[in-house]
PDB file of all heavy atoms in Angstrom:
ATOM      1  N   GLY A  46      51.522  18.149 -15.442  1.00  0.00           N
ATOM      2  CA  GLY A  46      51.472  18.757 -16.764  1.00  0.00           C
ATOM      3  C   GLY A  46      52.108  20.131 -16.862  1.00  0.00           C
ATOM      4  O   GLY A  46      52.609  20.510 -17.924  1.00  0.00           O
ATOM      5  N   PHE A  47      52.092  20.875 -15.769  1.00  0.00           N
ATOM      6  CA  PHE A  47      52.522  22.276 -15.852  1.00  0.00           C
ATOM      7  C   PHE A  47      53.709  22.641 -14.970  1.00  0.00           C
ATOM      8  O   PHE A  47      54.151  23.788 -14.989  1.00  0.00           O
ATOM      9  CB  PHE A  47      51.333  23.192 -15.512  1.00  0.00           C
ATOM     10  CG  PHE A  47      50.176  23.024 -16.455  1.00  0.00           C
ATOM     11  CD1 PHE A  47      49.024  22.368 -16.062  1.00  0.00           C
ATOM     12  CD2 PHE A  47      50.247  23.507 -17.757  1.00  0.00           C
ATOM     13  CE1 PHE A  47      47.956  22.201 -16.927  1.00  0.00           C
ATOM     14  CE2 PHE A  47      49.183  23.347 -18.638  1.00  0.00           C
ATOM     15  CZ  PHE A  47      48.039  22.695 -18.224  1.00  0.00           C
ATOM     16  N   THR A  48      54.203  21.708 -14.170  1.00  0.00           N
ATOM     17  CA  THR A  48      55.367  22.005 -13.327  1.00  0.00           C
ATOM     18  C   THR A  48      56.358  20.851 -13.385  1.00  0.00           C
ATOM     19  O   THR A  48      56.078  19.799 -13.950  1.00  0.00           O
ATOM     20  CB  THR A  48      54.962  22.222 -11.849  1.00  0.00           C
ATOM     21  OG1 THR A  48      54.567  20.972 -11.284  1.00  0.00           O
ATOM     22  CG2 THR A  48      53.841  23.229 -11.708  1.00  0.00           C
ATOM     23  N   LYS A  49      57.468  21.054 -12.774  1.00  0.00           N
ATOM     24  CA  LYS A  49      58.497  20.003 -12.679  1.00  0.00           C
ATOM     25  C   LYS A  49      58.592  19.455 -11.254  1.00  0.00           C
ATOM     26  O   LYS A  49      59.493  18.706 -10.941  1.00  0.00           O
ATOM     27  CB  LYS A  49      59.855  20.573 -13.089  1.00  0.00           C
ATOM     28  CG  LYS A  49      59.908  21.097 -14.502  1.00  0.00           C
ATOM     29  CD  LYS A  49      60.034  19.969 -15.461  1.00  0.00           C
ATOM     30  CE  LYS A  49      60.192  20.540 -16.871  1.00  0.00           C
ATOM     31  NZ  LYS A  49      59.987  19.554 -17.874  1.00  0.00           N
ATOM     32  N   VAL A  50      57.651  19.836 -10.395  1.00  0.00           N
ATOM     33  CA  VAL A  50      57.686  19.461  -8.984  1.00  0.00           C
ATOM     34  C   VAL A  50      57.708  17.945  -8.796  1.00  0.00           C
ATOM     35  O   VAL A  50      58.453  17.425  -7.966  1.00  0.00           O
ATOM     36  CB  VAL A  50      56.476  20.064  -8.241  1.00  0.00           C
ATOM     37  CG1 VAL A  50      56.375  19.562  -6.822  1.00  0.00           C
ATOM     38  CG2 VAL A  50      56.528  21.573  -8.269  1.00  0.00           C
ATOM     39  N   LEU A  51      56.903  17.246  -9.556  1.00  0.00           N
ATOM     40  CA  LEU A  51      56.768  15.800  -9.363  1.00  0.00           C
ATOM     41  C   LEU A  51      57.842  14.979 -10.068  1.00  0.00           C
ATOM     42  O   LEU A  51      57.855  13.757  -9.954  1.00  0.00           O
ATOM     43  CB  LEU A  51      55.381  15.354  -9.830  1.00  0.00           C
ATOM     44  CG  LEU A  51      54.196  15.965  -9.082  1.00  0.00           C
ATOM     45  CD1 LEU A  51      52.884  15.472  -9.671  1.00  0.00           C
ATOM     46  CD2 LEU A  51      54.259  15.664  -7.602  1.00  0.00           C
ATOM     47  N   THR A  52      58.753  15.622 -10.753  1.00  0.00           N
ATOM     48  CA  THR A  52      59.796  14.870 -11.457  1.00  0.00           C
ATOM     49  C   THR A  52      61.016  14.611 -10.583  1.00  0.00           C
ATOM     50  O   THR A  52      61.883  13.835 -10.972  1.00  0.00           O
ATOM     51  CB  THR A  52      60.247  15.622 -12.729  1.00  0.00           C
ATOM     52  OG1 THR A  52      60.755  16.901 -12.359  1.00  0.00           O
ATOM     53  CG2 THR A  52      59.095  15.762 -13.711  1.00  0.00           C
ATOM     54  N   HIS A  53      61.095  15.216  -9.419  1.00  0.00           N
ATOM     55  CA  HIS A  53      62.238  14.987  -8.524  1.00  0.00           C
ATOM     56  C   HIS A  53      62.151  13.585  -7.939  1.00  0.00           C
ATOM     57  O   HIS A  53      61.077  13.095  -7.615  1.00  0.00           O
ATOM     58  CB  HIS A  53      62.265  16.024  -7.412  1.00  0.00           C
ATOM     59  CG  HIS A  53      62.361  17.437  -7.898  1.00  0.00           C
ATOM     60  ND1 HIS A  53      62.834  17.787  -9.129  1.00  0.00           N
ATOM     61  CD2 HIS A  53      62.040  18.603  -7.290  1.00  0.00           C
ATOM     62  CE1 HIS A  53      62.815  19.089  -9.276  1.00  0.00           C
ATOM     63  NE2 HIS A  53      62.317  19.620  -8.172  1.00  0.00           N
ATOM     64  N   LYS A  54      63.302  12.960  -7.790  1.00  0.00           N
ATOM     65  CA  LYS A  54      63.343  11.585  -7.287  1.00  0.00           C
ATOM     66  C   LYS A  54      63.252  11.558  -5.770  1.00  0.00           C
ATOM     67  O   LYS A  54      63.834  12.391  -5.086  1.00  0.00           O
ATOM     68  CB  LYS A  54      64.601  10.889  -7.769  1.00  0.00           C
ATOM     69  CG  LYS A  54      64.594  10.716  -9.279  1.00  0.00           C
ATOM     70  CD  LYS A  54      65.789   9.976  -9.774  1.00  0.00           C
ATOM     71  CE  LYS A  54      65.657   9.874 -11.297  1.00  0.00           C
ATOM     72  NZ  LYS A  54      66.721   9.128 -11.892  1.00  0.00           N
ATOM     73  N   VAL A  55      62.510  10.560  -5.282  1.00  0.00           N
ATOM     74  CA  VAL A  55      62.351  10.360  -3.841  1.00  0.00           C
ATOM     75  C   VAL A  55      63.355   9.335  -3.362  1.00  0.00           C
ATOM     76  O   VAL A  55      64.118   9.569  -2.433  1.00  0.00           O
ATOM     77  CB  VAL A  55      60.925   9.884  -3.501  1.00  0.00           C
ATOM     78  CG1 VAL A  55      60.772   9.607  -2.021  1.00  0.00           C
ATOM     79  CG2 VAL A  55      59.895  10.861  -3.978  1.00  0.00           C
ATOM     80  N   ALA A  56      63.335   8.171  -4.004  1.00  0.00           N
ATOM     81  CA  ALA A  56      64.229   7.073  -3.652  1.00  0.00           C
ATOM     82  C   ALA A  56      64.487   6.262  -4.916  1.00  0.00           C
ATOM     83  O   ALA A  56      63.552   5.785  -5.556  1.00  0.00           O
ATOM     84  CB  ALA A  56      63.609   6.195  -2.578  1.00  0.00           C
ATOM     85  N   GLY A  57      65.732   6.123  -5.278  1.00  0.00           N
ATOM     86  CA  GLY A  57      66.067   5.378  -6.489  1.00  0.00           C
ATOM     87  C   GLY A  57      65.459   6.052  -7.707  1.00  0.00           C
ATOM     88  O   GLY A  57      65.659   7.229  -7.945  1.00  0.00           O
ATOM     89  N   GLU A  58      64.690   5.291  -8.460  1.00  0.00           N
ATOM     90  CA  GLU A  58      64.036   5.826  -9.656  1.00  0.00           C
ATOM     91  C   GLU A  58      62.592   6.263  -9.401  1.00  0.00           C
ATOM     92  O   GLU A  58      61.885   6.624 -10.332  1.00  0.00           O
ATOM     93  CB  GLU A  58      64.062   4.772 -10.772  1.00  0.00           C
ATOM     94  CG  GLU A  58      65.462   4.447 -11.280  1.00  0.00           C
ATOM     95  CD  GLU A  58      66.123   5.669 -11.913  1.00  0.00           C
ATOM     96  OE1 GLU A  58      65.480   6.374 -12.715  1.00  0.00           O
ATOM     97  OE2 GLU A  58      67.303   5.917 -11.575  1.00  0.00           O
ATOM     98  N   ILE A  59      62.160   6.218  -8.168  1.00  0.00           N
ATOM     99  CA  ILE A  59      60.783   6.593  -7.833  1.00  0.00           C
ATOM    100  C   ILE A  59      60.703   8.112  -7.682  1.00  0.00           C
ATOM    101  O   ILE A  59      61.419   8.714  -6.895  1.00  0.00           O
ATOM    102  CB  ILE A  59      60.329   5.907  -6.532  1.00  0.00           C
ATOM    103  CG1 ILE A  59      60.345   4.393  -6.710  1.00  0.00           C
ATOM    104  CG2 ILE A  59      58.933   6.384  -6.138  1.00  0.00           C
ATOM    105  CD1 ILE A  59      60.072   3.627  -5.444  1.00  0.00           C
ATOM    106  N   THR A  60      59.796   8.714  -8.461  1.00  0.00           N
ATOM    107  CA  THR A  60      59.619  10.168  -8.409  1.00  0.00           C
ATOM    108  C   THR A  60      58.407  10.519  -7.537  1.00  0.00           C
ATOM    109  O   THR A  60      57.619   9.654  -7.160  1.00  0.00           O
ATOM    110  CB  THR A  60      59.400  10.748  -9.816  1.00  0.00           C
ATOM    111  OG1 THR A  60      58.188  10.205 -10.353  1.00  0.00           O
ATOM    112  CG2 THR A  60      60.576  10.444 -10.729  1.00  0.00           C
ATOM    113  N   TRP A  61      58.259  11.803  -7.263  1.00  0.00           N
ATOM    114  CA  TRP A  61      57.129  12.275  -6.472  1.00  0.00           C
ATOM    115  C   TRP A  61      55.799  12.017  -7.183  1.00  0.00           C
ATOM    116  O   TRP A  61      54.762  11.916  -6.531  1.00  0.00           O
ATOM    117  CB  TRP A  61      57.281  13.759  -6.144  1.00  0.00           C
ATOM    118  CG  TRP A  61      58.246  13.979  -5.031  1.00  0.00           C
ATOM    119  CD1 TRP A  61      59.504  14.484  -5.117  1.00  0.00           C
ATOM    120  CD2 TRP A  61      58.041  13.654  -3.646  1.00  0.00           C
ATOM    121  NE1 TRP A  61      60.098  14.507  -3.880  1.00  0.00           N
ATOM    122  CE2 TRP A  61      59.217  14.007  -2.958  1.00  0.00           C
ATOM    123  CE3 TRP A  61      56.988  13.110  -2.929  1.00  0.00           C
ATOM    124  CZ2 TRP A  61      59.357  13.828  -1.587  1.00  0.00           C
ATOM    125  CZ3 TRP A  61      57.118  12.928  -1.559  1.00  0.00           C
ATOM    126  CH2 TRP A  61      58.292  13.286  -0.906  1.00  0.00           C
ATOM    127  N   ALA A  62      55.812  11.899  -8.486  1.00  0.00           N
ATOM    128  CA  ALA A  62      54.579  11.594  -9.220  1.00  0.00           C
ATOM    129  C   ALA A  62      54.022  10.235  -8.789  1.00  0.00           C
ATOM    130  O   ALA A  62      52.804  10.080  -8.602  1.00  0.00           O
ATOM    131  CB  ALA A  62      54.826  11.617 -10.726  1.00  0.00           C
ATOM    132  N   TRP A  63      54.900   9.257  -8.630  1.00  0.00           N
ATOM    133  CA  TRP A  63      54.463   7.937  -8.184  1.00  0.00           C
ATOM    134  C   TRP A  63      53.952   7.979  -6.746  1.00  0.00           C
ATOM    135  O   TRP A  63      52.945   7.339  -6.419  1.00  0.00           O
ATOM    136  CB  TRP A  63      55.607   6.922  -8.302  1.00  0.00           C
ATOM    137  CG  TRP A  63      55.869   6.531  -9.717  1.00  0.00           C
ATOM    138  CD1 TRP A  63      56.841   6.999 -10.539  1.00  0.00           C
ATOM    139  CD2 TRP A  63      55.109   5.605 -10.477  1.00  0.00           C
ATOM    140  NE1 TRP A  63      56.745   6.421 -11.775  1.00  0.00           N
ATOM    141  CE2 TRP A  63      55.682   5.549 -11.766  1.00  0.00           C
ATOM    142  CE3 TRP A  63      54.006   4.804 -10.224  1.00  0.00           C
ATOM    143  CZ2 TRP A  63      55.185   4.740 -12.774  1.00  0.00           C
ATOM    144  CZ3 TRP A  63      53.524   3.986 -11.238  1.00  0.00           C
ATOM    145  CH2 TRP A  63      54.113   3.965 -12.493  1.00  0.00           C
ATOM    146  N   VAL A  64      54.619   8.736  -5.909  1.00  0.00           N
ATOM    147  CA  VAL A  64      54.185   8.870  -4.513  1.00  0.00           C
ATOM    148  C   VAL A  64      52.804   9.533  -4.459  1.00  0.00           C
ATOM    149  O   VAL A  64      51.919   9.093  -3.728  1.00  0.00           O
ATOM    150  CB  VAL A  64      55.224   9.672  -3.694  1.00  0.00           C
ATOM    151  CG1 VAL A  64      54.714   9.947  -2.289  1.00  0.00           C
ATOM    152  CG2 VAL A  64      56.560   8.934  -3.661  1.00  0.00           C
ATOM    153  N   TYR A  65      52.631  10.595  -5.239  1.00  0.00           N
ATOM    154  CA  TYR A  65      51.356  11.311  -5.274  1.00  0.00           C
ATOM    155  C   TYR A  65      50.243  10.386  -5.787  1.00  0.00           C
ATOM    156  O   TYR A  65      49.139  10.367  -5.228  1.00  0.00           O
ATOM    157  CB  TYR A  65      51.486  12.539  -6.173  1.00  0.00           C
ATOM    158  CG  TYR A  65      50.394  13.563  -6.018  1.00  0.00           C
ATOM    159  CD1 TYR A  65      50.667  14.833  -5.532  1.00  0.00           C
ATOM    160  CD2 TYR A  65      49.080  13.290  -6.375  1.00  0.00           C
ATOM    161  CE1 TYR A  65      49.677  15.787  -5.397  1.00  0.00           C
ATOM    162  CE2 TYR A  65      48.079  14.232  -6.246  1.00  0.00           C
ATOM    163  CZ  TYR A  65      48.380  15.478  -5.756  1.00  0.00           C
ATOM    164  OH  TYR A  65      47.396  16.421  -5.617  1.00  0.00           O
ATOM    165  N   ALA A  66      50.530   9.647  -6.849  1.00  0.00           N
ATOM    166  CA  ALA A  66      49.522   8.741  -7.418  1.00  0.00           C
ATOM    167  C   ALA A  66      49.127   7.667  -6.398  1.00  0.00           C
ATOM    168  O   ALA A  66      47.937   7.352  -6.245  1.00  0.00           O
ATOM    169  CB  ALA A  66      50.050   8.094  -8.689  1.00  0.00           C
ATOM    170  N   PHE A  67      50.096   7.128  -5.686  1.00  0.00           N
ATOM    171  CA  PHE A  67      49.790   6.127  -4.663  1.00  0.00           C
ATOM    172  C   PHE A  67      48.996   6.760  -3.520  1.00  0.00           C
ATOM    173  O   PHE A  67      48.081   6.144  -2.967  1.00  0.00           O
ATOM    174  CB  PHE A  67      51.074   5.485  -4.132  1.00  0.00           C
ATOM    175  CG  PHE A  67      50.835   4.387  -3.154  1.00  0.00           C
ATOM    176  CD1 PHE A  67      50.286   3.180  -3.558  1.00  0.00           C
ATOM    177  CD2 PHE A  67      51.131   4.567  -1.808  1.00  0.00           C
ATOM    178  CE1 PHE A  67      50.047   2.161  -2.646  1.00  0.00           C
ATOM    179  CE2 PHE A  67      50.895   3.561  -0.888  1.00  0.00           C
ATOM    180  CZ  PHE A  67      50.350   2.354  -1.311  1.00  0.00           C
ATOM    181  N   ALA A  68      49.329   7.991  -3.173  1.00  0.00           N
ATOM    182  CA  ALA A  68      48.609   8.704  -2.109  1.00  0.00           C
ATOM    183  C   ALA A  68      47.133   8.890  -2.466  1.00  0.00           C
ATOM    184  O   ALA A  68      46.286   8.955  -1.575  1.00  0.00           O
ATOM    185  CB  ALA A  68      49.269  10.050  -1.829  1.00  0.00           C
ATOM    186  N   GLN A  69      46.832   8.978  -3.752  1.00  0.00           N
ATOM    187  CA  GLN A  69      45.425   9.101  -4.155  1.00  0.00           C
ATOM    188  C   GLN A  69      44.632   7.845  -3.798  1.00  0.00           C
ATOM    189  O   GLN A  69      43.474   7.936  -3.407  1.00  0.00           O
ATOM    190  CB  GLN A  69      45.318   9.411  -5.640  1.00  0.00           C
ATOM    191  CG  GLN A  69      45.732  10.825  -5.962  1.00  0.00           C
ATOM    192  CD  GLN A  69      45.464  11.193  -7.402  1.00  0.00           C
ATOM    193  OE1 GLN A  69      45.347  10.345  -8.270  1.00  0.00           O
ATOM    194  NE2 GLN A  69      45.371  12.489  -7.646  1.00  0.00           N
ATOM    195  N   PHE A  70      45.255   6.682  -3.921  1.00  0.00           N
ATOM    196  CA  PHE A  70      44.583   5.452  -3.509  1.00  0.00           C
ATOM    197  C   PHE A  70      44.328   5.460  -2.002  1.00  0.00           C
ATOM    198  O   PHE A  70      43.247   5.099  -1.538  1.00  0.00           O
ATOM    199  CB  PHE A  70      45.401   4.219  -3.893  1.00  0.00           C
ATOM    200  CG  PHE A  70      45.381   3.917  -5.352  1.00  0.00           C
ATOM    201  CD1 PHE A  70      46.428   4.301  -6.170  1.00  0.00           C
ATOM    202  CD2 PHE A  70      44.308   3.245  -5.914  1.00  0.00           C
ATOM    203  CE1 PHE A  70      46.405   4.030  -7.521  1.00  0.00           C
ATOM    204  CE2 PHE A  70      44.273   2.965  -7.272  1.00  0.00           C
ATOM    205  CZ  PHE A  70      45.332   3.359  -8.079  1.00  0.00           C
ATOM    206  N   ILE A  71      45.330   5.880  -1.254  1.00  0.00           N
ATOM    207  CA  ILE A  71      45.195   5.941   0.199  1.00  0.00           C
ATOM    208  C   ILE A  71      44.105   6.942   0.590  1.00  0.00           C
ATOM    209  O   ILE A  71      43.283   6.675   1.473  1.00  0.00           O
ATOM    210  CB  ILE A  71      46.553   6.306   0.846  1.00  0.00           C
ATOM    211  CG1 ILE A  71      47.556   5.188   0.593  1.00  0.00           C
ATOM    212  CG2 ILE A  71      46.393   6.569   2.331  1.00  0.00           C
ATOM    213  CD1 ILE A  71      48.975   5.538   0.953  1.00  0.00           C
ATOM    214  N   MET A  72      44.093   8.096  -0.083  1.00  0.00           N
ATOM    215  CA  MET A  72      43.077   9.105   0.198  1.00  0.00           C
ATOM    216  C   MET A  72      41.674   8.568  -0.099  1.00  0.00           C
ATOM    217  O   MET A  72      40.746   8.774   0.681  1.00  0.00           O
ATOM    218  CB  MET A  72      43.323  10.368  -0.634  1.00  0.00           C
ATOM    219  CG  MET A  72      42.317  11.444  -0.354  1.00  0.00           C
ATOM    220  SD  MET A  72      41.703  12.411  -1.747  1.00  0.00           S
ATOM    221  CE  MET A  72      41.726  11.354  -3.125  1.00  0.00           C
ATOM    222  N   THR A  73      41.519   7.866  -1.197  1.00  0.00           N
ATOM    223  CA  THR A  73      40.213   7.323  -1.561  1.00  0.00           C
ATOM    224  C   THR A  73      39.734   6.332  -0.513  1.00  0.00           C
ATOM    225  O   THR A  73      38.574   6.377  -0.084  1.00  0.00           O
ATOM    226  CB  THR A  73      40.278   6.658  -2.949  1.00  0.00           C
ATOM    227  OG1 THR A  73      40.721   7.624  -3.896  1.00  0.00           O
ATOM    228  CG2 THR A  73      38.926   6.115  -3.358  1.00  0.00           C
TER     229      THR A  73
END
Side-chain angles (χ1 to χ4, degrees):
F47 299 106
T48 71
K49 300 282 184 195
V50 173
L51 298 178
T52 60
H53 301 339
K54 294 183 180 183
V55 177
E58 294 297 314
I59 298 173
T60 63
W61 282 107
W63 286 100
V64 174
Y65 196 115
F67 184 70
Q69 287 187 338
F70 287 99
I71 295 169
M72 181 220 31
T73 302

